[in-house]
Amino acid sequence: MDVSRRDFIKASAAAAAFAAVGGKSLNPLKPGAAEAAEGGVTWGKAPCRFCGTGCGVLVGVRDGKVVAIKGDPQAPVNKGLNCVKGYFLSKVLNGKDRLTTPLIRKDGKLTPASWDEAMTLIASKFKESIAKYGPDSVAIYGSGQWTIFEGYAASKLFKGGIGTNNIEVNARLCMASAVTGFMTTFASDEPMGCYDDLDLGDTYFLWGANMAECHPILFSRLLTNRLNNPEVKIIDFATRRTRTSLMADRYIKFKPQTDLALLNAIAYVIIRDGLHDEAFIKEHVVFKKGKENIGYGLEDKFKFADEPKGITFEEYRDSLKAYTPEKVAALSGVPAETIVEMAHLYADKKRKVTTLWTMGFNQHTRGTWVNNLAYNVHLLTGKICRPGENPMSLTGQPSACGTTREVGTFTHRLPADMVVANPEHREKTAKIWGIDPKKIPAKPTYNATEMFRALDRGDIKVIWSQVTNPFQSLPNLNRYRKGARKGEGRFVIVSDMYPTRSTEQADVVLPSASWVEKEGMFGNAERRTHQWFKMVDAPGEAKDDLWQTMELARRLGHGSLFPYQHPQREIWEEYRKFGEGQGKDLAPYDAYVESRGLRWPVVNGQETRYRYVEGYDPYVKAGEGVKFYKNKPDHYRAVIWARPYEPAPEQPDQHYPFWLCTGRVLEHWHTGTMTGRVPELKRAYPEAVCEMHPDDAKKLGIKQGDQVRVSSRRGSIQLAADLNGRGKAEHGNVFVAFFDENKLINELCLDAYCPISGEPDYKKCAVKVEKAR
Amino acid sequence: MPISGVVLTCAPGLSDSVVGELASFDGVEVHGVLPDGQIVAVVEADSVDAEVSLVTRMHEIAGVATVRLAYHNFEDLEQ
């Protein structure tokens, strides 16, 4: 690169940074120079490939290669700035071991094959299994990294073509509890608020969310809000001290699982001290209770159905008497006066309160309940549906919302919040798909954990995994890794960009195109749907998952389900029929081509920032104020649920005295299959470590960096102890990140799940720690 | 050589000390500090790996809350 071009680029880099934060560059480029700095680079827009935030990026392409990335200044989510993962966006496409050809296992070894050979084999396995054992013997397992088209095509093929509800996604491991929380409280999935709440509120309660590392751009918006407004308070309720705690105004540590009791205690104080909003409650809320002692899903084929019963406000109030601040202080470790103080902060009429949470709530054996309890506090205080005052679950994957939740790629769901159990929903779906309604089975089959239990038992014979890494990410991993390799007719297909701990389990591996190597749409956590075009070719023979699924459909005789000339555009226009007039309206394809994403419902070309509220939501008429219009059976009211504290299924004891919590770190995303390809990231955070409290370590004779063995009743791994790292474990707790493919911490996790959502709890099981010999 | 433009957000009152620390980073030029304390810097290194290494080190400076990326050019790298 010559000197002048380098100067141009440096000036461009500084100018972009200044522009993004509203400052002026000291050394702006003159118009002609700006053009020269472009140097033949063409720019296209796309959402970021990584998390569920949905940041906009501009992708610079020259000679068929990605050569530059900019934060998209027009993107409302991130306003021109990306987090550090922006550095890897192109690198993750170009790792040296990228899969470029199909592979078939022959004599135990994965061997290159043609697409025709691979697809012929896959189709024959599907046909054979369906003929011998029926359609429920085959399955597809996808993810919140599927584009909307890919998820839609998979659902249509399996539910509408093959005739099985054996479709699940890793989102079941991630935000299924958020879905059931929203559905049980509001009868409609996804938040009423949006990211604007991060700029417009003044009081933020974070629960089990390390936003600074896992949602850095959203956390930056909170910090910017606080820089401009000294009244802003950030309260971090957590079981582990993180970089988020460091930046928060208050860090409130609590014992694992006691979030259930704490939220009930907060509600107790709000009512006891008369801080609730009686008028709002009278007009917009009903009270219910459900079953208690609901189990943990530990046994195969576990089934649960709640039995909701209406209760009065007084009955609800009385149910909270078990949660006085004093009682809950003893249980949770949070001082009673802090509980009272926090309840008053939540209810302060002068304050705009937003609650944010991630996996701490959702990966929880009472995940649905704890989501309900967070809504309870907002509904009691009437702080909901207004700018800056909303509860919101943040997501971890770029299209966990857009694809898995909205398209409904779960065993029990159909698009637009519909479910297979409802005959009218099957009828509507069949009509749009042009099939006989009888084709879609009325009964859901397996949630994600149960799906891999079924593979282990041999009830599922053929399973296809796309864009995810189940044989690293499932809990109680040993059982499911062994189960997949039991033989006896089991056949595992894995589509991915790179070799992973899942491709090593596969009989066939298919090389996939990723991100801007294909045309796509993702939907983020604030109901915003993004579109992008293909910008570069995938390497070798890699093909996108949409093509792969449609190719299987064709070979199974279901090609008529996919009669498209331009599949992406036509799938979109077909798909959006589901949400029309249902409060889930989506715009025509071109509106997304033009925009930096639109938040649904999109009615008459206008997106919706706030749902259920007059003046913002087109479904709420003038004079109606707030209307939870999706909950018709409860006369358009939201539900406050009486949900008790119940203990975790496995708690520390004398044999396994520590709580184990798993999670993410800034440098690596999920199972590390993409970020692990970036050498510097590997060096910055090369392998998982065991964070523990220095006092606990001292008792065990463990020093910083010592090798320790962490064991549960299910597995055991060795790793280095970290006593003073970026994250700091509290007494009696240890934390291990799950990205490291050589340290499969999920082998230790318990496969207990929330009976309502089916989401496993990766945050709590009992382990022991010993100094390794 | 890859070049990037970044924005650092700092804890209140700590921008000046962060700028001081950044002065010792080879390959990092501070282009300005905004009135709200955010810092604009340009990072230049031999490889993306080295660039990310610098950004990782920035994250570790006391008082740095976030480092965000506005622009990244790596056009002359072999991919």
Side-chain angles (χ1 to χ4, degrees):
Chain A
M1 193 189 302
D2 60 40
V3 173
S4 62
R5 173 137 183 84
R6 185 151 85 224
D7 290 342
F8 286 142
I9 291 171
K10 283 173 76 171
S12 295
F18 275 111
V21 287
K24 280 207 177 89
S25 182
L26 304 174
N27 185 17
L29 287 172
K30 295 188 177 69
E35 207 167 285
E38 292 292 340
V41 177
T42 56
W43 295 92
K45 61 151 181 132
C48 176
R49 174 64 181 78
F50 293 107
C51 81
T53 300
C55 293
V57 298
L58 293 174
V59 183
V61 175
R62 195 172 66 190
D63 304 327
K65 281 184 180 164
V66 178
V67 296
I69 296 282
K70 274 193 231 181
D72 185 350
Q74 290 184 59
V77 171
N78 55 314
K79 301 168 183 149
L81 293 170
N82 294 124
C83 78
V84 66
K85 291 186 200 70
Y87 278 108
F88 328 134
L89 272 167
S90 70
K91 283 210 124 188
V92 298
L93 299 180
N94 299 308
K96 287 194 171 61
D97 53 347
R98 188 77 196 262
L99 294 168
T100 54
T101 180
L103 304 167
I104 294 176
R105 192 172 295 279
K106 291 177 184 163
D107 300 325
K109 207 172 157 227
L110 287 169
T111 312
S114 69
W115 272 104
D116 185 55
E117 201 184 341
M119 293 310 299
T120 302
L121 177 61
I122 292 168
S124 74
K125 292 289 177 184
F126 268 89
K127 281 182 191 162
E128 189 187 318
S129 189
I130 293 165
K132 263 195 193 163
Y133 308 106
D136 285 347
S137 69
V138 301
I140 190 160
Y141 184 69
S143 88
Q145 298 159 64
W146 257 341
T147 66
I148 289 172
F149 318 123
E150 290 163 347
Y152 184 83
S155 182
K156 193 175 182 183
L157 171 60
F158 278 72
K159 297 194 179 205
I162 295 171
T164 174
N165 286 322
N166 278 354
I167 172 168
E168 268 290 312
V169 273
N170 67 356
R172 180 75 79 171
L173 316 176
C174 169
M175 28 50 45
S177 301
V179 178
T180 46
F182 277 122
M183 293 305 293
T184 48
T185 301
F186 305 102
S188 175
D189 190 21
E190 302 202 22
M192 55 292 305
C194 59
Y195 295 158
D196 301 17
D197 293 328
L198 302 170
D199 314 326
L200 301 172
D202 53 29
T203 309
Y204 296 90
F205 286 93
L206 316 184
W207 289 87
N210 180 8
M211 282 180 79
E213 290 200 65
C214 301
H215 296 93
I217 292 298
L218 300 181
F219 197 59
S220 297
R221 280 175 71 165
L222 272 191
L223 297 180
T224 304
N225 182 3
R226 190 171 65 180
L227 278 174
N228 297 327
N229 176 6
E231 288 300 310
V232 169
K233 274 193 172 44
I234 300 172
I235 315 292
D236 179 33
F237 271 98
T239 59
R240 166 180 176 246
R241 196 183 289 266
T242 63
R243 203 176 257 178
T244 305
S245 324
L246 204 67
M247 300 307 296
D249 296 275
R250 288 285 287 278
Y251 164 62
I252 301 174
K253 65 176 177 189
F254 63 91
K255 291 181 189 157
Q257 191 80 359
T258 65
D259 38 13
L260 295 161
L262 282 163
L263 283 157
N264 274 327
I266 287 168
Y268 170 87
V269 173
I270 287 171
I271 296 174
R272 181 194 71 184
D273 296 353
L275 306 172
H276 53 296
D277 185 334
E278 278 183 35
F280 185 88
I281 292 169
K282 207 171 161 198
E283 215 169 320
H284 301 301
V285 171
V286 294
F287 295 86
K288 287 186 189 180
K289 64 184 263 192
K291 280 190 189 168
E292 298 185 1
N293 296 313
I294 60 176
Y296 299 101
L298 279 164
E299 53 283 13
D300 279 33
K301 301 183 186 177
F302 176 86
K303 291 272 182 265
F304 174 79
D306 208 357
E307 285 170 11
K309 284 191 190 119
I311 56 173
T312 62
F313 170 74
E314 289 72 22
E315 286 170 313
Y316 167 70
R317 184 193 60 199
D318 292 347
S319 78
L320 296 175
K321 283 185 182 156
Y323 302 98
T324 64
E326 292 71 24
K327 284 181 194 161
V328 173
L331 186 70
S332 67
V334 178
E337 57 272 22
T338 304
I339 295 172
V340 173
E341 183 194 348
M342 290 301 124
H344 281 250
L345 193 61
Y346 252 115
D348 185 339
K349 293 210 164 19
K350 295 191 292 295
R351 287 197 161 267
K352 294 184 174 183
V353 176
T354 286
T355 306
L356 299 156
W357 62 92
T358 53
M359 294 307 113
F361 269 10
N362 293 343
Q363 293 179 337
H364 196 309
T365 50
R366 295 291 178 266
T368 308
W369 288 7
V370 78
N371 273 263
N372 291 148
L373 294 173
Y375 300 135
N376 285 358
V377 177
H378 282 268
L379 290 167
L380 281 173
T381 53
K383 297 189 180 193
I384 196 160
C385 305
R386 297 188 300 220
E389 302 182 271
N390 286 293
M392 183 190 253
S393 163
L394 301 170
T395 54
Q397 297 185 84
S399 203
C401 291
T403 302
T404 71
R405 292 164 72 163
E406 293 163 26
V407 177
T409 57
F410 294 88
T411 185
H412 64 298
R413 275 169 86 89
L414 293 166
D417 284 352
M418 296 195 298
V419 289
V420 294
N422 183 320
E424 286 169 29
H425 293 177
R426 294 199 302 277
E427 185 92 26
K428 177 171 175 172
T429 303
K431 198 172 168 197
I432 294 174
W433 285 352
I435 59 167
D436 182 344
K438 290 194 200 76
K439 190 80 199 180
I440 306 169
K443 271 181 123 172
T445 52
Y446 308 111
N447 67 40
T449 308
E450 294 288 355
M451 182 176 266
F452 287 90
R453 288 176 181 173
L455 179 66
D456 177 41
R457 291 194 305 271
D459 294 341
I460 287 176
K461 299 285 186 200
V462 179
I463 189 165
W464 189 354
S465 163
Q466 295 186 344
V467 242
T468 184
N469 189 8
F471 296 108
Q472 183 172 342
S473 63
L474 286 165
N476 192 14
L477 193 55
N478 270 325
R479 175 179 176 189
Y480 305 117
R481 286 183 65 82
K482 283 182 194 143
R485 298 310 310 154
K486 274 184 177 168
E488 298 160 11
R490 288 175 187 76
F491 194 80
V492 177
I493 306 137
V494 175
S495 298
D496 209 310
M497 311 164 66
Y498 289 109
T500 67
R501 296 307 299 264
S502 297
T503 59
E504 73 185 18
Q505 300 283 96
D507 297 288
V508 176
V509 175
L510 299 175
S512 292
S514 177
W515 195 44
V516 295
E517 295 164 353
K518 62 189 178 187
E519 182 170 340
M521 289 180 97
F522 280 162
N524 80 353
E526 61 162 352
R527 297 177 274 106
R528 182 185 297 278
T529 317
H530 283 109
Q531 183 275 351
W532 76 93
F533 286 117
K534 178 181 169 180
M535 299 177 208
V536 294
D537 288 329
E541 295 171 43
K543 289 183 184 291
D544 66 74
D545 294 358
L546 175 61
W547 180 88
Q548 295 178 22
T549 300
M550 293 197 302
E551 183 60 19
L552 177 65
R554 195 178 66 76
R555 286 165 184 261
L556 295 180
H558 299 302
S560 61
L561 290 172
F562 305 96
Y564 313 122
Q565 297 298 309
H566 183 290
Q568 289 87 352
R569 181 178 287 270
E570 289 168 56
I571 285 177
W572 179 258
E573 294 303 330
E574 179 182 309
Y575 162 57
R576 72 189 193 89
K577 288 179 192 160
F578 284 92
E580 258 174 4
Q582 304 299 315
K584 306 260 161 180
D585 308 65
L586 299 160
Y589 198 68
D590 284 330
Y592 299 93
V593 171
E594 298 302 321
S595 72
R596 260 50 174 190
L598 295 168
R599 287 169 285 196
W600 60 259
V602 186
V603 177
N604 299 326
Q606 296 298 308
E607 65 166 358
T608 302
R609 289 167 67 210
Y610 294 95
R611 291 166 81 198
Y612 311 131
V613 63
E614 181 182 345
Y616 289 97
D617 187 333
Y619 282 86
V620 182
K621 294 192 196 80
E624 287 183 329
V626 168
K627 184 177 180 184
F628 297 106
Y629 54 83
K630 290 298 285 183
N631 197 9
K632 197 174 168 192
D634 290 314
H635 308 287
Y636 310 112
R637 290 156 179 256
V639 181
I640 285 183
W641 286 91
R643 301 288 203 193
Y645 163 81
E646 286 180 4
E650 184 179 83
Q651 303 191 65
D653 58 19
Q654 62 181 99
H655 303 294
Y656 295 92
F658 291 95
W659 287 107
L660 167 68
C661 178
T662 70
R664 278 164 55 191
V665 293
L666 175 69
E667 287 81 357
H668 291 288
W669 191 67
H670 288 185
T671 58
T673 58
M674 295 187 289
T675 49
R677 262 71 201 178
V678 184
E680 176 51 38
L681 283 173
K682 283 294 270 189
R683 276 199 290 281
Y685 209 122
E687 54 180 34
V689 293
C690 175
E691 286 177 13
M692 62 188 302
H693 195 281
D695 295 348
D696 291 334
K698 201 174 168 190
K699 281 184 210 154
L700 296 166
I702 294 164
K703 291 191 286 298
Q704 171 68 21
D706 279 355
Q707 286 291 309
V708 295
R709 179 151 288 280
V710 183
S711 314
S712 75
R713 292 176 176 87
R714 295 155 294 281
S716 180
I717 59 169
Q718 186 171 318
L719 64 185
D722 190 9
L723 312 182
N724 191 27
R726 192 189 297 160
K728 292 179 177 53
E730 295 294 350
H731 287 105
N733 290 259
V734 298
F735 174 88
V736 180
F738 70 97
F739 69 86
D740 189 344
E741 62 182 10
N742 297 313
K743 312 266 182 196
L744 294 178
I745 188 64
N746 287 3
E747 290 184 349
L748 278 62
C749 294
L750 186 66
D751 53 350
Y753 56 78
C754 168
I756 301 174
S757 70
E759 179 164 348
D761 189 330
Y762 290 87
K763 303 293 188 186
K764 296 169 217 90
C765 71
V767 296
K768 62 182 170 190
V769 182
E770 299 155 298
K771 194 166 169 177
R773 304 202 182 273
Chain B
M1 200 164 198
I3 291 166
S4 50
V6 299
V7 175
L8 291 84
T9 309
C10 307
L14 292 180
S15 303
D16 287 350
S17 70
V18 171
V19 169
E21 289 258 353
L22 287 174
S24 69
F25 282 44
D26 276 345
V28 176
E29 283 173 24
V30 172
H31 279 238
V33 181
L34 291 143
D36 62 9
Q38 299 196 82
I39 299 165
V40 168
V42 170
V43 181
E44 196 179 2
D46 290 335
S47 63
V48 175
D49 298 351
E51 243 183 327
V52 175
S53 175
L54 285 167
V55 171
T56 306
R57 279 177 57 205
M58 286 181 190
H59 268 286
E60 305 297 336
I61 299 174
V64 171
T66 62
V67 183
R68 288 176 290 168
L69 172 66
Y71 179 100
H72 186 207
N73 185 298
F74 40 93
E75 63 185 32
D76 57 351
L77 291 180
E78 278 294 315
Q79 290 191 7

PDB file of all heavy atoms in Angstrom, chain B residues 8-21:
ATOM      1  N   LEU B   8     -13.275   4.729  22.114  1.00  0.00           N
ATOM      2  CA  LEU B   8     -13.212   4.186  23.475  1.00  0.00           C
ATOM      3  C   LEU B   8     -14.156   4.971  24.375  1.00  0.00           C
ATOM      4  O   LEU B   8     -14.139   6.211  24.356  1.00  0.00           O
ATOM      5  CB  LEU B   8     -11.798   4.306  24.058  1.00  0.00           C
ATOM      6  CG  LEU B   8     -10.701   3.427  23.440  1.00  0.00           C
ATOM      7  CD1 LEU B   8     -10.119   4.081  22.193  1.00  0.00           C
ATOM      8  CD2 LEU B   8      -9.591   3.183  24.458  1.00  0.00           C
ATOM      9  N   THR B   9     -14.972   4.260  25.132  1.00  0.00           N
ATOM     10  CA  THR B   9     -15.803   4.909  26.157  1.00  0.00           C
ATOM     11  C   THR B   9     -15.159   4.629  27.505  1.00  0.00           C
ATOM     12  O   THR B   9     -14.777   3.493  27.778  1.00  0.00           O
ATOM     13  CB  THR B   9     -17.229   4.331  26.135  1.00  0.00           C
ATOM     14  OG1 THR B   9     -17.708   4.381  24.805  1.00  0.00           O
ATOM     15  CG2 THR B   9     -18.159   5.121  27.043  1.00  0.00           C
ATOM     16  N   CYS B  10     -15.040   5.678  28.314  1.00  0.00           N
ATOM     17  CA  CYS B  10     -14.322   5.541  29.580  1.00  0.00           C
ATOM     18  C   CYS B  10     -15.237   5.822  30.757  1.00  0.00           C
ATOM     19  O   CYS B  10     -16.246   6.509  30.622  1.00  0.00           O
ATOM     20  CB  CYS B  10     -13.157   6.534  29.630  1.00  0.00           C
ATOM     21  SG  CYS B  10     -12.090   6.399  28.209  1.00  0.00           S
ATOM     22  N   ALA B  11     -14.851   5.298  31.896  1.00  0.00           N
ATOM     23  CA  ALA B  11     -15.560   5.648  33.132  1.00  0.00           C
ATOM     24  C   ALA B  11     -15.374   7.149  33.366  1.00  0.00           C
ATOM     25  O   ALA B  11     -14.346   7.710  32.983  1.00  0.00           O
ATOM     26  CB  ALA B  11     -14.991   4.847  34.285  1.00  0.00           C
ATOM     27  N   PRO B  12     -16.371   7.802  33.989  1.00  0.00           N
ATOM     28  CA  PRO B  12     -16.308   9.259  34.155  1.00  0.00           C
ATOM     29  C   PRO B  12     -14.982   9.715  34.772  1.00  0.00           C
ATOM     30  O   PRO B  12     -14.497   9.125  35.737  1.00  0.00           O
ATOM     31  CB  PRO B  12     -17.482   9.544  35.109  1.00  0.00           C
ATOM     32  CG  PRO B  12     -18.429   8.409  34.894  1.00  0.00           C
ATOM     33  CD  PRO B  12     -17.587   7.219  34.549  1.00  0.00           C
ATOM     34  N   GLY B  13     -14.384  10.739  34.154  1.00  0.00           N
ATOM     35  CA  GLY B  13     -13.181  11.342  34.716  1.00  0.00           C
ATOM     36  C   GLY B  13     -11.883  10.628  34.389  1.00  0.00           C
ATOM     37  O   GLY B  13     -10.816  11.081  34.789  1.00  0.00           O
ATOM     38  N   LEU B  14     -11.962   9.514  33.681  1.00  0.00           N
ATOM     39  CA  LEU B  14     -10.735   8.744  33.463  1.00  0.00           C
ATOM     40  C   LEU B  14     -10.169   8.861  32.041  1.00  0.00           C
ATOM     41  O   LEU B  14      -9.152   8.239  31.722  1.00  0.00           O
ATOM     42  CB  LEU B  14     -10.963   7.269  33.814  1.00  0.00           C
ATOM     43  CG  LEU B  14     -11.189   6.976  35.307  1.00  0.00           C
ATOM     44  CD1 LEU B  14     -11.408   5.502  35.563  1.00  0.00           C
ATOM     45  CD2 LEU B  14      -9.997   7.470  36.141  1.00  0.00           C
ATOM     46  N   SER B  15     -10.814   9.675  31.201  1.00  0.00           N
ATOM     47  CA  SER B  15     -10.366   9.771  29.801  1.00  0.00           C
ATOM     48  C   SER B  15      -8.909  10.206  29.689  1.00  0.00           C
ATOM     49  O   SER B  15      -8.143   9.670  28.887  1.00  0.00           O
ATOM     50  CB  SER B  15     -11.231  10.759  29.020  1.00  0.00           C
ATOM     51  OG  SER B  15     -12.560  10.362  29.089  1.00  0.00           O
ATOM     52  N   ASP B  16      -8.524  11.183  30.503  1.00  0.00           N
ATOM     53  CA  ASP B  16      -7.164  11.701  30.384  1.00  0.00           C
ATOM     54  C   ASP B  16      -6.129  10.633  30.713  1.00  0.00           C
ATOM     55  O   ASP B  16      -5.122  10.487  30.017  1.00  0.00           O
ATOM     56  CB  ASP B  16      -6.960  12.908  31.318  1.00  0.00           C
ATOM     57  CG  ASP B  16      -7.681  14.143  30.778  1.00  0.00           C
ATOM     58  OD1 ASP B  16      -8.144  14.070  29.610  1.00  0.00           O
ATOM     59  OD2 ASP B  16      -7.797  15.148  31.510  1.00  0.00           O
ATOM     60  N   SER B  17      -6.404   9.871  31.772  1.00  0.00           N
ATOM     61  CA  SER B  17      -5.425   8.840  32.131  1.00  0.00           C
ATOM     62  C   SER B  17      -5.405   7.745  31.065  1.00  0.00           C
ATOM     63  O   SER B  17      -4.350   7.177  30.780  1.00  0.00           O
ATOM     64  CB  SER B  17      -5.718   8.270  33.522  1.00  0.00           C
ATOM     65  OG  SER B  17      -6.890   7.504  33.514  1.00  0.00           O
ATOM     66  N   VAL B  18      -6.557   7.470  30.443  1.00  0.00           N
ATOM     67  CA  VAL B  18      -6.581   6.469  29.375  1.00  0.00           C
ATOM     68  C   VAL B  18      -5.754   6.959  28.185  1.00  0.00           C
ATOM     69  O   VAL B  18      -4.959   6.207  27.615  1.00  0.00           O
ATOM     70  CB  VAL B  18      -8.037   6.140  28.944  1.00  0.00           C
ATOM     71  CG1 VAL B  18      -8.059   5.266  27.692  1.00  0.00           C
ATOM     72  CG2 VAL B  18      -8.792   5.456  30.091  1.00  0.00           C
ATOM     73  N   VAL B  19      -5.918   8.234  27.827  1.00  0.00           N
ATOM     74  CA  VAL B  19      -5.129   8.801  26.728  1.00  0.00           C
ATOM     75  C   VAL B  19      -3.639   8.670  27.041  1.00  0.00           C
ATOM     76  O   VAL B  19      -2.828   8.311  26.183  1.00  0.00           O
ATOM     77  CB  VAL B  19      -5.512  10.276  26.464  1.00  0.00           C
ATOM     78  CG1 VAL B  19      -4.517  10.938  25.510  1.00  0.00           C
ATOM     79  CG2 VAL B  19      -6.920  10.370  25.885  1.00  0.00           C
ATOM     80  N   GLY B  20      -3.295   8.928  28.291  1.00  0.00           N
ATOM     81  CA  GLY B  20      -1.896   8.792  28.723  1.00  0.00           C
ATOM     82  C   GLY B  20      -1.383   7.379  28.492  1.00  0.00           C
ATOM     83  O   GLY B  20      -0.292   7.180  27.964  1.00  0.00           O
ATOM     84  N   GLU B  21      -2.179   6.408  28.869  1.00  0.00           N
ATOM     85  CA  GLU B  21      -1.786   5.001  28.680  1.00  0.00           C
ATOM     86  C   GLU B  21      -1.642   4.658  27.196  1.00  0.00           C
ATOM     87  O   GLU B  21      -0.721   3.946  26.789  1.00  0.00           O
ATOM     88  CB  GLU B  21      -2.844   4.072  29.287  1.00  0.00           C
ATOM     89  CG  GLU B  21      -2.883   4.092  30.791  1.00  0.00           C
ATOM     90  CD  GLU B  21      -2.190   2.875  31.396  1.00  0.00           C
ATOM     91  OE1 GLU B  21      -1.808   1.974  30.615  1.00  0.00           O
ATOM     92  OE2 GLU B  21      -2.036   2.852  32.620  1.00  0.00           O
TER      93      GLU B  21
END
